[in-house]
Amino acid sequence: MPQKRLLTPGPTQVPEPARLAMARQVTHHRTAEFRALLAQVLADLKVVFATENDVLVLTSSGTGAMEAAVVNLVPRGGKAIVLESGVFSRRWADICVRYGIEVVRHSVPWGQAIEADDVARVLSDHPDAVAVFGTLMESSTGVGHDVEAIGQVVAESNALWVVDGISGAGAMRCLVDAWHIDVLVVGSQKALMTPPGLAMMAVSAAAWQQMERFEPPAFYFDLKLHRKKILGTKPLEGPDTPWTPAHTLIAGLAESLKLIRAEGMEAVWARCDMLSRATIAGIEAMGLAPFAARRAAGMTAVRVPPGMEASALLKRLEARFGVKLAGGQLELSGKIIRIAHFGVIDELEIIATLAAIEMVLDELGYPVRLGSAAAAASRVMQSSVRSRGAVAHGAAAT
Amino acid sequence: MPQKRLLTPGPTQVPEPARLAMARQVTHHRTAEFRALLAQVLADLKVVFATENDVLVLTSSGTGAMEAAVVNLVPRGGKAIVLESGVFSRRWADICVRYGIEVVRHSVPWGQAIEADDVARVLSDHPDAVAVFGTLMESSTGVGHDVEAIGQVVAESNALWVVDGISGAGAMRCLVDAWHIDVLVVGSQKALMTPPGLAMMAVSAAAWQQMERFEPPAFYFDLKLHRKKILGTKPLEGPDTPWTPAHTLIAGLAESLKLIRAEGMEAVWARCDMLSRATIAGIEAMGLAPFAARRAAGMTAVRVPPGMEASALLKRLEARFGVKLAGGQLELSGKIIRIAHFGVIDELEIIATLAAIEMVLDELGYPVRLGSAAAAASRVMQSSVRSRGAVAHGAAAT
């Protein structure tokens, strides 16, 4: 039986130190020990998100934190611009509609990326918009957005820039402060290598100011209650949470963050980016094409060849090789497969996965030259290592 | 250094099989394997809650599920009766107020229990109340409520009976169907012996009917979305969740539920009830008194002797014996200590805890006769065993 290899764009594999931390006997959470743990986690998250803003940890999926962003920022009857390019960015609109918020949708065909110039146009048409809701990595299509350029445009308006970085943050470069992101929403089970159950938010001073203007239709997700506890009731007490947190998951997150910090953010982003380029080179060597018009460092969506069933491809990958990839969602069902290359995923995992896809394509009668994907991906990896000077260093050491 | 012994009314210790299950490598949750796991968990929860109603698992703390109950059942401007007897039952009112619900508070002094006759009177004064919100075990005071008698009264009205069983269910007898409970809310980190992060709900047909009448101010906590997924999109697919679930915690819960099922609900309830009686006998033997007018099988709140600082007592218990108990909250701070006797807690853990309290009282200069608590608790335990015939059985086998 093959080893299980999980390469879906969430959940992702969790490193052993995190898994063992979550197996420890449960302790109480209203203690100095938990406050110290949470303080460390929040400090590490600030580094990962490149921010000095307040960071919160909620016990919910990423969707819960998306809802928290919406209901705390935009009052009923207020206006929001939603940048819609796939399943997950559409969810911003669904949440807004549920709360009686006027939604201005700027949509692009799935697989395309939102352009900053278009956002500028929408903003000038709607100067009364309270917030612009967008997506870093639209994991339903594999598109990585230019959150920096859009952030620049939004910063010139009165609106707040709210980014779903649930699957992208920690994989793609995402500089909250430099890119004028007022609220970033992140999930635990993606690049942060922790099981699902936690959502992280980075909240700017401008966003807190907006939240002071009204009482949100929220209780569990009332972010002002969270902020009060994060700041600590007494100065020396350290941060806390308003409701009982999933603290074993936070203990796991702390371990995964240690690994991320040890690698360094620049190195993590460079690795994911290199794996993205290697993956695309590999699939192109098989004659396949990426689906996204603008690639995301954290994952690649691949068009399934005409006449081939995506489900057959995915099932054989899992049955023979233990490789679990994701298929397409909603209207992309059957049309794409999705490969994650963030979190614990390394060079050899991508080489192995590409080889598995190639062999299954061969099984299914699709013409491939065996080894071509590994060759193409390896060349990207070697070129990347050479450009970092690591090979030269290795040669000198021998 | 002493062993750590956690006897707080949540979180509670998690058995090893559950902890090891949560340390396993993460797998994907949109799979037949996860659906089978969730189906088993839901089936087991129905046994624990003694119900044929739909059971849901949310990824949130218990407070999130309380909010879900409120916002899905009572529309803005609707009327709700809140039975307030402590910190947690007060939360029902706080949530209702946040959502513009008219709250009729029936309050008793903390430590007292709500009486069914009084609920009947309030209901006859407010026949237009949509729901009555109450509490099984008010863990801030240690009161166990007569949910059966109140349920009988509510069943004769037009209102729905909504019970916070967050800490009580799984420890105290609580028969959802027989006691006319329309919505029961339960937390993972109490008697169900799982880390925090999951909340369970049992929802009656009448509650679903009420939910059909309006669209709730909710998205993540929209229970109709949860129900649709629990019922399965295709008949043979099994249950699912609308948002990414904290599925490693669900895997842990599955293991703890196996242990609960193996012991049997009657046996679990009888054990907790016996430990409650033993704990009270022990503290009374030390000259202390329980705080609650009506005891709860899951925990005991103990009045701290006049002149003694609760924090000193708690700190010494932890420093010398590793015993972690809870203190009082809000206006009960410094006045009580709280001892849980649910979940993995067994006879010897209670004997040990009582002995620890006795020795610390002695240290603090409070007059105790060493061993008196253990003697009193042991007598309750022996009497309980004798009445079950287990000693006789043991004697016959020798």
Side-chain angles (χ1 to χ4, degrees):
Chain A
M1 208 168 73
Q3 279 185 55
K4 288 196 175 187
R5 294 166 183 270
L6 183 68
L7 289 99
T8 56
T12 187
Q13 294 171 52
V14 174
E16 191 176 59
R19 293 192 284 115
L20 295 180
M22 294 182 291
R24 287 200 297 258
Q25 185 51 278
V26 163
T27 55
H28 205 271
H29 56 287
R30 301 302 186 208
T31 55
E33 289 72 22
F34 173 71
R35 286 169 183 269
L37 176 77
L38 184 58
Q40 184 59 53
V41 163
L42 298 180
D44 285 348
L45 288 172
K46 287 183 185 191
V47 174
V48 174
F49 303 154
T51 189
E52 300 286 324
N53 290 343
D54 290 322
V55 172
L56 312 174
V57 176
L58 311 183
T59 296
S60 75
S61 79
T63 298
M66 290 174 77
E67 176 171 349
V70 169
V71 301
N72 283 272
L73 290 175
V74 190
R76 178 168 286 272
K79 188 185 275 188
I81 296 169
V82 173
L83 307 179
E84 197 181 299
S85 64
V87 172
F88 295 103
S89 42
R90 183 182 285 176
R91 190 166 292 169
W92 282 127
D94 292 344
I95 299 170
C96 289
V97 166
R98 169 58 60 101
Y99 282 97
I101 292 164
E102 186 188 341
V103 177
V104 178
R105 286 172 205 256
H106 170 58
S107 305
V108 294
W110 290 16
Q112 300 299 304
I114 304 284
E115 298 297 334
D117 288 350
D118 294 331
V119 178
R121 188 178 42 72
V122 178
L123 273 165
S124 73
D125 289 349
H126 299 279
D128 55 338
V130 176
V132 179
F133 293 95
T135 311
L136 177 62
M137 179 169 96
E138 172 54 68
S139 61
S140 67
T141 65
V143 167
H145 279 105
D146 191 345
V147 165
E148 180 178 15
I150 303 171
Q152 188 59 50
V153 160
V154 179
E156 288 162 12
S157 76
N158 295 318
L160 297 164
W161 180 212
V162 184
V163 176
D164 164 1
I166 290 172
S167 63
M172 298 175 66
R173 181 182 295 274
C174 180
L175 309 179
V176 164
D177 292 356
W179 296 1
H180 312 289
I181 300 172
D182 289 296
V183 176
L184 178 73
V185 174
V186 183
S188 54
Q189 78 277 22
K190 314 282 183 170
L192 301 185
M193 305 185 293
T194 305
L198 300 176
M200 282 65 70
M201 302 183 79
V203 183
S204 74
W208 287 125
Q209 273 170 26
Q210 169 61 16
M211 292 187 207
E212 290 300 332
R213 296 206 178 122
F214 67 105
E215 193 178 69
F219 189 82
Y220 187 75
F221 291 126
D222 182 339
L223 295 180
K224 289 198 287 286
L225 296 179
H226 286 264
R227 186 188 200 198
K228 208 167 134 186
K229 291 290 182 177
I230 284 292
L231 298 178
T233 37
K234 295 171 197 166
L236 293 175
E237 266 192 346
D240 202 354
T241 58
W243 322 121
T244 302
H247 68 334
T248 62
L249 298 182
I250 293 175
L253 175 61
E255 295 297 325
S256 288
L257 285 169
K258 269 186 211 165
L259 296 173
I260 290 170
R261 293 287 314 270
E263 186 173 354
M265 289 318 298
E266 289 293 342
V268 168
W269 293 327
R271 169 169 56 83
C272 292
D273 185 68
M274 181 267 286
L275 295 179
S276 154
R277 289 181 287 112
T279 302
I280 291 173
I283 61 153
E284 286 178 343
M286 293 183 238
L288 303 180
F291 179 70
R294 192 173 193 276
R295 73 185 169 83
M299 62 163 287
T300 301
V302 182
R303 282 180 202 277
V304 172
M308 183 175 293
E309 287 199 13
S311 61
L313 180 56
L314 292 171
K315 272 183 196 152
R316 286 189 189 216
L317 278 169
E318 194 166 356
R320 177 164 165 204
F321 296 110
V323 171
K324 173 86 178 164
L325 305 181
Q329 296 163 289
L330 304 184
E331 43 259 58
L332 294 178
S333 177
K335 294 183 185 159
I336 58 171
I337 61 170
R338 296 177 296 145
I339 307 165
H341 29 72
F342 58 25
V344 301
I345 307 296
D346 59 12
E347 292 171 305
L348 293 189
E349 200 68 44
I350 288 300
I351 295 277
T353 301
L354 290 166
I357 295 172
E358 199 174 63
M359 286 190 272
V360 169
L361 287 176
D362 185 56
E363 263 183 63
L364 292 170
Y366 179 84
V368 289
R369 196 157 46 82
L370 294 174
S372 64
S378 303
R379 279 193 294 270
V380 171
M381 292 170 186
Q382 291 306 88
S383 147
S384 165
V385 168
R386 263 185 228 111
S387 72
R388 290 204 308 273
V391 165
H393 177 77
T398 311
Chain B
M1 208 169 71
Q3 280 185 55
K4 288 195 176 187
R5 294 165 183 270
L6 184 68
L7 290 98
T8 56
T12 188
Q13 293 171 53
V14 174
E16 191 176 58
R19 293 192 284 114
L20 296 180
M22 293 182 292
R24 287 200 297 258
Q25 186 50 280
V26 162
T27 54
H28 206 272
H29 55 287
R30 301 301 186 208
T31 55
E33 290 72 22
F34 174 70
R35 286 169 183 270
L37 176 77
L38 184 58
Q40 184 59 52
V41 162
L42 298 179
D44 284 349
L45 288 172
K46 286 183 185 188
V47 174
V48 174
F49 304 154
T51 187
E52 300 285 324
N53 289 344
D54 289 322
V55 171
L56 312 174
V57 176
L58 311 184
T59 295
S60 76
S61 78
T63 299
M66 289 173 78
E67 176 171 347
V70 169
V71 301
N72 283 273
L73 289 176
V74 191
R76 179 169 284 273
K79 188 184 275 187
I81 295 169
V82 173
L83 308 179
E84 197 180 298
S85 63
V87 173
F88 295 103
S89 42
R90 182 183 284 178
R91 189 165 292 169
W92 282 127
D94 292 344
I95 299 170
C96 288
V97 166
R98 170 58 58 101
Y99 282 98
I101 292 164
E102 186 187 343
V103 177
V104 177
R105 286 170 205 258
H106 170 58
S107 305
V108 293
W110 292 15
Q112 299 299 306
I114 305 283
E115 298 296 334
D117 288 350
D118 293 331
V119 178
R121 188 177 41 74
V122 178
L123 272 166
S124 74
D125 289 349
H126 299 279
D128 54 340
V130 176
V132 178
F133 293 94
T135 311
L136 177 62
M137 179 168 95
E138 172 54 67
S139 61
S140 66
T141 65
V143 166
H145 279 106
D146 191 345
V147 165
E148 180 178 16
I150 302 171
Q152 187 61 50
V153 161
V154 179
E156 289 162 12
S157 76
N158 294 318
L160 297 164
W161 181 212
V162 184
V163 176
D164 165 1
I166 290 173
S167 64
M172 297 174 65
R173 180 182 297 275
C174 179
L175 309 178
V176 164
D177 292 357
W179 295 1
H180 312 288
I181 300 172
D182 289 296
V183 176
L184 178 73
V185 174
V186 183
S188 53
Q189 79 276 21
K190 314 283 184 171
L192 301 185
M193 305 186 293
T194 305
L198 299 176
M200 281 65 69
M201 302 182 78
V203 183
S204 74
W208 288 126
Q209 274 170 27
Q210 168 62 14
M211 292 187 207
E212 290 300 332
R213 297 207 177 121
F214 67 105
E215 193 177 67
F219 189 83
Y220 187 75
F221 291 128
D222 181 339
L223 295 180
K224 290 198 285 287
L225 296 179
H226 286 264
R227 187 191 199 194
K228 209 168 134 185
K229 291 291 182 176
I230 285 293
L231 297 177
T233 36
K234 295 171 197 168
L236 293 175
E237 267 192 343
D240 202 353
T241 58
W243 321 121
T244 301
H247 68 332
T248 62
L249 299 181
I250 294 175
L253 175 61
E255 295 297 325
S256 288
L257 285 169
K258 268 187 212 167
L259 296 172
I260 290 170
R261 295 284 316 269
E263 186 173 354
M265 288 318 299
E266 289 293 342
V268 168
W269 293 327
R271 169 169 55 84
C272 292
D273 185 70
M274 181 266 286
L275 294 179
S276 154
R277 288 182 286 112
T279 301
I280 290 173
I283 61 153
E284 286 178 343
M286 294 183 238
L288 303 179
F291 180 71
R294 192 172 194 277
R295 73 185 169 83
M299 63 163 286
T300 300
V302 183
R303 282 180 203 276
V304 173
M308 183 174 293
E309 286 199 15
S311 60
L313 179 57
L314 292 172
K315 271 182 197 154
R316 288 188 188 217
L317 277 169
E318 194 166 356
R320 177 165 167 204
F321 297 110
V323 170
K324 173 86 178 165
L325 304 181
Q329 296 162 291
L330 303 183
E331 45 257 59
L332 294 178
S333 177
K335 296 184 183 159
I336 58 171
I337 60 170
R338 297 177 295 145
I339 308 164
H341 29 72
F342 57 26
V344 301
I345 307 297
D346 60 12
E347 292 171 306
L348 293 189
E349 201 67 43
I350 287 300
I351 295 277
T353 301
L354 290 166
I357 295 171
E358 199 174 63
M359 286 189 273
V360 169
L361 287 175
D362 186 55
E363 262 182 63
L364 292 170
Y366 180 85
V368 289
R369 196 156 45 82
L370 294 174
S372 64
S378 303
R379 280 193 294 271
V380 170
M381 292 170 187
Q382 291 305 88
S383 147
S384 165
V385 169
R386 263 183 226 110
S387 73
R388 290 205 308 274
V391 166
H393 176 77
T398 311

